[in-house]
């Protein structure tokens, strides 16, 4: 009890911020079009996946370039358990999280035992995600290359997380998942295990000299990380009502996942959510610019790929100008002002 | 001594397998398929080696995971295609243009985009090169649309009188078809690989590059401008795909993502061969080329890349320094 109270005290400020953020985000569905709502939902899905990535790569410092593996395992677990065994996606989400956590523990144990770190660990995670993609592509049980389509429930169905009539309910479900995961992350950062992760990130040798077991810290991080990212993947299936190997495990999925926390701020509590907000606004602005350009830019109307070019250019500028993300940039500005 | 014994044991095992294979009925029925896989694997492996060499230099010297390498190759592929399509310039002559062109582009990228983040953590460098790749690939999409194009070399099916004997392409080796463009790509790739080896190991510039790779601070101390070496190295790396792009153009579908597939394979080759090792890139390229073709024979219905990734993971775990790399630290 005392430890819990201490935890509550230490994280009071973050919890307050969380309450404000959730309250503001809860206002989004009111008065927006169905299209905007779906943009907001997918922003939150990738924010959630990014929160998961951030645990392993931000707090524990093990850069993953293959989080699509966990995302896809979550997505497929929901799809398979629902279509084959009629298991509710709520249970499917948790099962998917567990599958991903076990996959993370197994592959993480092997990778870390063999001393993979830095670029090599990143490449190994990439290879694992690709192997899952190639395997699922030829695995008939999961629909091979065709993928799995989720049958429509019709109307609002809480048990199957489908809200045909009131899509804003789906938004609140994913918002709830993001809030819960953020509470989990706040609790981790304030706990002993969180400190162990940070110690391992900063200096593994020094950490183990202090009696910390780096392997244990990294494995706990990878399991939690995989679990949260798999939740996002499972929800993604429910959102698209369809999943295939490329959408689940494709290399670009890994990039989408890690982009948000990096833009927002790696290893910060709010980085993933902030990055997701910035990127989806940016994405929509560039997309609508290409769709309906101002009169002096008429030539770019409907040109395929142009929004991606803009997106890439912005990414390059952000990385060069704000290498530690938007949150890091703000911190540096504030320090510069006070100094 | 024990290492030698083990090597000898492996060699004996390999010979045994070869003997059993050649004597069995499996061999009789699959001989042609096998020979074709062997030939295709070796030929494309040569190109992989050249692409990987460039990546290996950048990885080994600058310590960056360069995800723009494949996109740079796309530039070379399109350059070579456009030169052929508009001016009728032979793809192998266009090498003289694509190699310097990509060198200059590489120098520009390193100078203006990557040098500023050389001290940043790896995920920033990775993301930066990824951003560059996104820009290049989508620019290609904007300029040339996604429609795949291909060319037909007029002389790809000619007879060549070489004095002693004539070669009638596509020639057949043990029933396997060898096409002229792939054979040229293989030979030129290995030739250029040799040139890069000489450049790195026999010239003063190469010595400076190796010094900057091993001990940047020490190199700085003896008067080497390390930033400049980084810039030149990235340029050489880009020049490798400048050559590779023109070499593969005649037998590839030209599209904005044509180079990207080579990127991933090149990474695997680099890790397999050992970071920064030129001979490693050659051996690794051939091994990966063979592996991807053999996977299709021995695991029918699977993707070519599955076997490649299995090898990749095994190397990462058991020999992360690669076949030719030195154990680090």
């Amino acid at each position: 009890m005392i430890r819990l109270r201490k935890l509550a005290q230490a994280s009071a400020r973050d919890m307050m911020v969380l309450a404000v953020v959730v309250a503001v985000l809860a206002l989004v569905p009111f008065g927006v079009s169905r299209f905007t709502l779906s943009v907001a939902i997918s922003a939150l899905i990738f924010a959630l996946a990014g929160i998961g990535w951030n645990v392993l790569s931000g707090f524990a410092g093990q850069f993953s370039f293959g989080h699509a593996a966990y995302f896809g395992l979550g997505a497929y677990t929901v799809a398979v358990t629902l279509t084959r065994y009629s298991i509710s996606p709520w249970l499917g989400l948790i099962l998917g999280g567990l599958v991903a956590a076990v996959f993370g523990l197994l592959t993480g144990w092997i990778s870390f035992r063999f001393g993979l770190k830095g670029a090599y660990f990143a490449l190994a995670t990439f290879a694992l995600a690709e192997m899952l993609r190639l395997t699922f592509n030829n695995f008939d049980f999961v629909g091979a290359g065709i993928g799995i389509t989720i049958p429509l429930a019709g109307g609002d169905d809480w048990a199957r997380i489908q809200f045909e009539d009131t899509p804003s309910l789906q938004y609140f479900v994913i918002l709830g998942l993001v809030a819960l995961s953020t509470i989990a992350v706040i609790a981790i950062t304030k706990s002993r295990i969180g400190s162990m992760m940070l110690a391992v990130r900063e200096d593994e040798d020094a950490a183990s000299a202090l009696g910390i077991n780096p392997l244990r810290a990294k494995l706990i991080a990878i399991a939690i990380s995989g679990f949260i990212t798999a939740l996002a993947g499972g929800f993604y299936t429910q959102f698209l009502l369809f999943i295939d190997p490329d959408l689940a495990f494709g290399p670009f999925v890994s990039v989408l996942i890690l982009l948000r926390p990096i833009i927002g701020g790696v290893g910060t509590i709010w980085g993933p959510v902030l990055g997701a907000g910035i990127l989806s606004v940016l994405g929509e602005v560039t997309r609508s610019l290409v769709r309906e350009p101002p009169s002096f830019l008429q030539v770019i109307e409907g040109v395929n790929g142009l929004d991606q070019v803009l997106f890439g250019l912005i990414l390059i500028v952000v990385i060069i100008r704000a290498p530690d993300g938007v949150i890091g940039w703000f911190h540096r500005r504030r320090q510069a002002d006070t100094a | 001594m024990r290492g030698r014994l083990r090597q000898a044991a492996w060699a004996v095992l390999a010979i045994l397998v070869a003997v059993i294979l050649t004597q069995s009925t499996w061999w009789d029925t699959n001989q042609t398929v096998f020979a074709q896989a062997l030939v295709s694997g070796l030929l494309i492996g040569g190109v992989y080696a050249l692409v990987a060499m460039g990546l290996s230099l950048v990885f080994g010297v600058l310590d960056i995971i360069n995800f723009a390498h494949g996109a740079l190759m796309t530039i070379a592929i399109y350059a070579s295609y456009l030169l052929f399509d508009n001016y009728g310039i032979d793809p192998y002559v266009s090498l003289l243009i694509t190699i310097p062109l990509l060198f200059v582009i590489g120098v520009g990228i390193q100078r203006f985009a990557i040098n500023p983040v050389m001290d940043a953590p790896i995920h920033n460098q990775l993301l930066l090169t990824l951003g560059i790749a996104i820009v290049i690939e989508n620019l290609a999409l904007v300029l040339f649309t996604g429609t795949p194009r291909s060319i037909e070399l007029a002389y790809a099916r000619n007879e060549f009188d070489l004095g002693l004997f004539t070669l009638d392409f596509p020639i057949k080796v043990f029933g396997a078809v060898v096409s002229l463009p792939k054979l040229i790509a293989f030979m030129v790739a290995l030739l250029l690989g040799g040139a890069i080896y000489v450049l790195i190991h026999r010239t003063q510039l190469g010595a400076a590059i190796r010094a900057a790779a091993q001990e940047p601070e020490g190199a700085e101390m003896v008067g080497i401008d390390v930033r400049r070496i980084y810039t030149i190295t990235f340029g050489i790396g880009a020049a490798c795909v400048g050559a590779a792009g023109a070499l593969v153009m005649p037998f590839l579908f030209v599209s904005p993502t044509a180079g990207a597939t080579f990127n991933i394979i090149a990474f695997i080759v680099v890790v397999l061969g050992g970071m920064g090792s030129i001979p490693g890139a050659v051996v690794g390229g051939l091994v990966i080329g063979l592996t991807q073709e053999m996977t299709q024979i021995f695991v029918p219905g699977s993707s070519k890349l599955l076997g490649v990734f299995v090898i990749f993971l095994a190397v990462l775990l058991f020999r992360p320094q690669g076949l030719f790399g030195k154990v680090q630290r």
Side-chain angles (χ1 to χ4, degrees):
Chain A
M1 272 323 278
I2 296 168
R3 272 179 67 186
L4 265 183
R5 197 176 304 153
K6 261 193 184 157
L7 191 68
Q9 275 167 0
S11 48
R13 213 177 119 243
D14 290 322
M15 290 297 184
M16 237 127 77
V17 178
L18 176 67
V20 174
V21 170
V22 170
V24 171
L25 286 179
L27 294 175
V28 168
F30 299 103
V32 298
S33 68
R34 226 180 159 114
F35 175 74
T36 312
L37 189 67
S38 72
V39 171
I41 291 176
S42 79
L44 282 180
I45 291 174
F46 283 98
L48 182 60
I51 291 171
W53 180 88
N54 204 24
V55 172
L56 177 65
S57 304
F59 294 117
Q62 307 302 310
F63 183 78
S64 161
F65 194 51
H67 251 52
Y70 309 112
F71 189 82
L73 285 175
Y76 265 102
T77 308
V78 166
V80 169
T81 53
L82 177 68
T83 55
R84 292 222 172 229
Y85 308 108
S86 321
I87 293 173
S88 163
W90 291 104
L91 192 56
L93 281 174
I94 296 177
L95 285 175
L98 292 176
V99 169
V102 169
F103 179 79
L105 283 175
L106 281 176
T107 56
W109 186 77
I110 296 173
S111 308
F112 296 136
R113 272 310 295 264
F114 280 91
L116 288 188
K117 51 183 141 189
Y120 287 98
F121 179 73
L123 288 172
T125 57
F126 178 80
L128 284 168
E130 278 292 277
M131 284 169 77
L132 282 175
R133 182 174 71 85
L134 297 170
T135 313
F136 274 57
N137 240 326
N138 292 292
F139 191 14
D140 288 327
F141 182 75
V142 296
I146 304 160
I148 299 177
T149 306
I150 308 291
L152 282 174
D156 288 352
D157 188 341
W158 272 99
R160 296 180 57 177
I161 329 186
Q162 284 188 30
F163 306 102
E164 183 75 359
D165 301 333
T166 31
S168 56
L169 287 177
Q170 199 176 31
Y171 177 86
F172 289 119
V173 171
I174 182 73
L175 182 60
L177 287 175
V178 168
L180 281 177
S181 307
T182 306
I183 292 174
V185 168
I186 292 172
I188 292 166
T189 55
K190 297 294 184 285
S191 71
R192 208 179 136 72
I193 183 68
S195 315
M196 278 159 62
M197 287 179 197
L198 291 188
V200 169
R201 174 183 78 184
E202 294 306 325
D203 190 334
E204 208 173 313
D205 296 330
S208 55
L210 290 172
I212 293 171
N213 181 348
L215 180 64
R216 196 166 145 244
K218 287 193 264 189
L219 284 183
I220 292 173
I222 206 171
I224 297 171
S225 177
F227 188 93
I228 296 177
T229 300
L231 287 182
F235 193 86
Y236 191 59
T237 302
Q238 289 301 117
F239 172 62
L240 291 183
L241 297 177
F242 173 72
I243 198 70
D244 74 15
D246 285 336
L247 287 172
F249 299 109
F252 205 68
V253 178
S254 296
V255 175
L256 288 179
I257 293 171
L258 60 84
L259 217 46
R260 274 129 191 96
I262 289 181
I263 297 285
V266 175
T268 61
I269 293 170
W270 300 105
V273 178
L274 189 64
I278 294 172
L279 278 182
S280 38
V281 170
L282 215 64
E284 283 317 298
V285 168
T286 52
R287 213 176 301 167
S288 62
L289 200 69
V290 173
R291 214 167 33 226
E292 294 156 5
S295 51
F296 64 97
L297 281 174
Q298 214 52 206
V299 278
I300 66 167
E301 184 176 344
V303 175
N304 226 344
L306 201 60
D307 54 332
Q308 291 291 313
V309 174
L310 272 177
F311 177 78
L313 285 175
I314 292 167
L315 183 63
I316 293 171
V317 171
V318 168
I319 295 290
I320 295 177
R321 291 270 137 210
D324 35 10
V326 174
I327 291 178
W329 184 77
F330 270 118
H331 276 300
R332 263 187 299 146
R333 285 295 294 269
R334 215 166 50 189
Q335 271 166 5
D337 284 348
T338 50
Chain B
M1 192 59 208
R2 273 187 59 192
R4 299 260 165 213
L5 268 177
R6 203 180 298 165
Q7 274 175 7
W10 278 111
V12 171
L13 191 70
I15 292 166
L16 268 178
V17 170
V19 169
I20 292 167
L21 275 181
T22 46
Q23 298 306 317
S24 66
T25 51
W26 182 89
W27 177 249
D28 290 337
T29 50
N30 289 290
Q31 190 182 7
T32 313
V33 184
F34 192 79
Q36 184 67 57
L38 205 66
V39 168
S40 305
L42 274 181
L43 290 186
I44 196 67
V47 177
Y48 289 166
L50 180 59
V51 179
M53 243 174 256
L55 195 65
S56 187
L57 269 179
V58 172
F59 203 176
V61 178
L62 286 77
D63 206 13
I64 316 185
I65 303 189
N66 177 17
F67 263 89
H69 202 59
L72 290 171
M73 185 163 169
T74 303
I75 297 183
I77 293 174
Y78 269 103
S80 170
Y81 172 79
L82 291 174
L83 287 170
F84 179 85
D85 201 45
N86 293 334
Y87 309 107
I89 295 176
D90 188 279
Y92 305 111
V93 177
S94 74
L95 278 175
L96 297 175
I97 299 165
T98 57
I99 293 176
L101 174 73
L102 265 290
F103 179 80
V104 171
I105 292 176
V107 164
I109 288 177
Q110 177 67 28
R111 174 86 178 67
F112 295 108
I114 302 181
N115 263 343
V117 300
M118 278 308 289
D119 304 321
I122 61 155
H123 57 249
N124 279 10
Q125 296 161 350
L126 188 150
L127 223 57
L128 182 69
T129 58
L130 205 69
I132 294 169
I134 292 174
V135 170
I136 293 174
E137 275 168 18
N138 286 286
L139 262 184
L141 191 64
V142 170
L143 294 175
F144 311 113
T145 74
T147 321
R149 303 140 196 258
S150 61
I151 68 159
E152 182 83 31
L153 273 186
Y155 50 82
R157 295 179 165 275
N158 276 12
E159 259 178 52
F160 289 87
D161 193 354
L162 296 180
L164 286 174
F165 52 93
T166 56
L167 285 176
D168 184 8
F169 279 98
I171 47 175
K172 295 211 162 192
V173 182
F174 295 110
V177 181
V178 182
S179 82
L180 177 68
K182 287 189 180 175
L183 190 63
I184 295 180
F186 175 78
M187 292 192 304
V188 176
L190 290 193
L191 214 66
L192 289 173
I196 291 174
Y197 184 85
V198 171
L199 176 72
I200 298 296
H201 289 271
R202 297 279 182 273
T203 67
Q204 196 147 25
L205 175 67
I209 290 176
R210 279 179 289 136
Q214 278 165 14
E215 199 66 67
E217 278 136 35
E220 197 90 61
M221 214 104 78
V222 295
I224 295 170
D225 184 347
V226 173
R227 292 267 145 155
R228 197 169 144 264
I229 292 296
Y230 285 165
T231 310
I232 293 172
T233 307
F234 201 93
I236 297 174
C240 287
V241 284
L247 289 174
V248 298
M249 197 274 287
F251 59 87
L252 205 77
F253 281 111
V254 179
S255 79
T257 51
T261 40
F262 286 88
N263 208 29
I264 296 179
I265 297 217
F267 269 115
I268 297 170
V269 172
V270 168
V271 171
L272 175 62
M275 235 166 56
S277 160
I278 309 277
V282 173
V283 174
L286 298 178
V287 168
I288 292 299
L290 284 174
T291 308
Q292 72 165 41
E293 298 302 323
M294 292 300 167
T295 308
Q296 283 201 311
I297 299 185
F298 292 104
V299 196
S302 78
S303 160
K304 277 184 178 184
L305 285 175
L306 199 58
V308 174
F309 278 116
V310 171
I311 290 209
F312 182 46
L313 272 186
V315 172
L316 273 177
L317 294 176
F318 297 107
R319 206 178 156 79
Q321 73 274 27
L323 297 175
F324 286 75
K326 294 186 189 73
V327 183
Q328 293 212 320
R329 278 167 281 267

